[in-house]
Amino acid sequence: MPRKRFALSLFWRTFILLALLLAAGIFAWLQTFRALEFEPRAVQSAQQIASLVNLSRAGLRYADAINRVTLIKTLSDQESIRLKPREPSDRFEPFEVSGLTRTISQELRSRLGPATIVASAVNGTPGLWVGFQIERDNYWLQADPNRVGPLTGRTWFVWVGIALLATLLGSAVIARLINQPLKELSFAASRIREGEYDSVLDESMITREIREVNQGFNRMARELAKVDEDRAVMLAGISHDLRTPLARLRLEAEMSVVDEEAKRNIAADIDQLDAIIDKFMDYARPGEVELVPVHVSSVVDKAISQFRDTKRIRITAKLPIDTKVMADETELGRVLTNLFENARRYGRNTYTGITNVDVSYTRAGSWVILSVRDHGPGVAPEKLPQLTTPFFRGDAARTAATGAGLGLAIVDKALQRMSGDFELANAPGGGLVAHIKLKRAP
């Protein structure tokens, strides 16, 4: 068997593509922002530090000893700036460790002089240290390193996370808006497939293409409803027009034909024509059914009671009396009758000429599966999918095929109307088995 490919719904496909596109746009803008923000931020940070150094230098230069101590204490308390003399024995670590810090250091030297020292730690104390001179005295100014630091990873994470969350929500909304008309169209198409033509799509959509599709679909649904109505009227008329001359033929045969064998043959032919008309009418029956809890065993017993000739067919049913399914009792009876009739015609035992049919059931979760099996020759595997096609017979050479070729097609269509499933297969020990799958009644 070919491998089953992974498939996405149209909503998820649209959602993923939109999310990837918007996420790629966010990261592109992020890189652009970082590149454009790098140099202005470095210059601005260097200007702030240089201003602090110049103000501190001016204050210390023009203050006496007492006011200088007060100034240093005030800067430390209010601006988080620490001033201390720079000793020749001080050990410091260079500040230039990245592109941003190198740019800041260069900008500070260009504003404060080439002798300016910028360090990230002095004597093991971390911070942003700037060494400058006041006349011949050397000083350190320690500022808060957050003044010149880049945005932290946590900040980037928060903002990028918010942007991605907004992207996902926006993609979901956009995908839903795009796919909602297609979902409605798919639902309406499935109802038409089930024979319901009353689905009407919105013809006032703003999008021109969707509006035209909805208008065309509604027009198609109206035409199909008209065709279906005309077909039902035509078949009803054909049934009435054919049965009238058939009734006259039957009466004429009873009154005019003397030969009893000829009379029986004529009556059999008329019965056959009448049965064929019934098959046509069953196949053309409207698709509206009312699903109610139905006892399976009672419906099977009623269908079996129609086949009393044990010289031609023998039916054995093993069903519990409490099993109920959601179905239309008349439709389900018609399904079983057609299956028994099909088995009677084509499932005869080669040696005895009698059709033996077994009816059994299994439960699969919320479903009940009825199995109707005969013990005849079965059907070629390649012809099994075609057995439910109207007017198709599994063996074109069978002269005993006196039906219309609609029995299994009627079964399949009836089960579709009852939201069930129908499957045909060759039984392991020989014969054909039909599986009827219906929802179990609560």
Side-chain angles (χ1 to χ4, degrees), residues 172 204 210 263 346:
S204 60
I210 295 178
K263 186 185 297 185
Y346 308 125

Side-chain angles (χ1 to χ4, degrees), residues 220-253:
M220 179 193 69
R222 289 193 296 268
E223 293 295 330
L224 288 175
K226 187 176 183 302
V227 169
D228 190 66
E229 183 180 354
D230 292 343
R231 182 188 63 175
V233 173
M234 179 188 68
L235 288 175
I238 291 175
S239 172
H240 178 270
D241 293 343
L242 286 179
R243 279 181 169 142
T244 299
L246 286 177
R248 287 199 301 265
L249 285 174
R250 187 187 299 273
L251 181 60
E252 185 70 22

Side-chain angles (χ1 to χ4, degrees), residues 160-182:
V160 171
I162 293 174
L164 287 178
L165 179 61
T167 296
L168 294 177
L169 293 177
S171 299
V173 172
I174 293 173
R176 179 176 177 82
L177 291 176
I178 291 175
N179 295 308
Q180 186 63 29
L182 295 179

Side-chain angles (χ1 to χ4, degrees), residues 279 302-303 306-307 332-342:
K279 293 293 185 182
K302 289 180 183 178
Q306 301 178 33
F307 298 85
L332 183 57
R334 186 177 293 110
V335 164
L336 293 169
T337 301
N338 276 281
L339 290 177
F340 295 158
E341 179 64 24
N342 186 79

Side-chain angles (χ1 to χ4, degrees), residues 54-69:
N54 288 330
L55 290 172
S56 301
R57 178 186 288 170
L60 292 174
R61 177 178 295 171
Y62 298 108
D64 54 24
I66 297 177
N67 291 331
R68 185 173 293 177
V69 173

Side-chain angles (χ1 to χ4, degrees), residues 395-414:
D395 187 0
R398 275 195 289 224
T399 58
T402 56
L406 288 173
L408 296 180
I410 292 171
V411 170
D412 186 51
K413 190 174 181 180

Side-chain angles (χ1 to χ4, degrees), residues 415-426:
L415 288 172
Q416 288 182 14
R417 289 196 292 262
M418 293 187 289
S419 302
D421 195 15
F422 180 56
E423 182 181 354
L424 291 168
N426 284 314

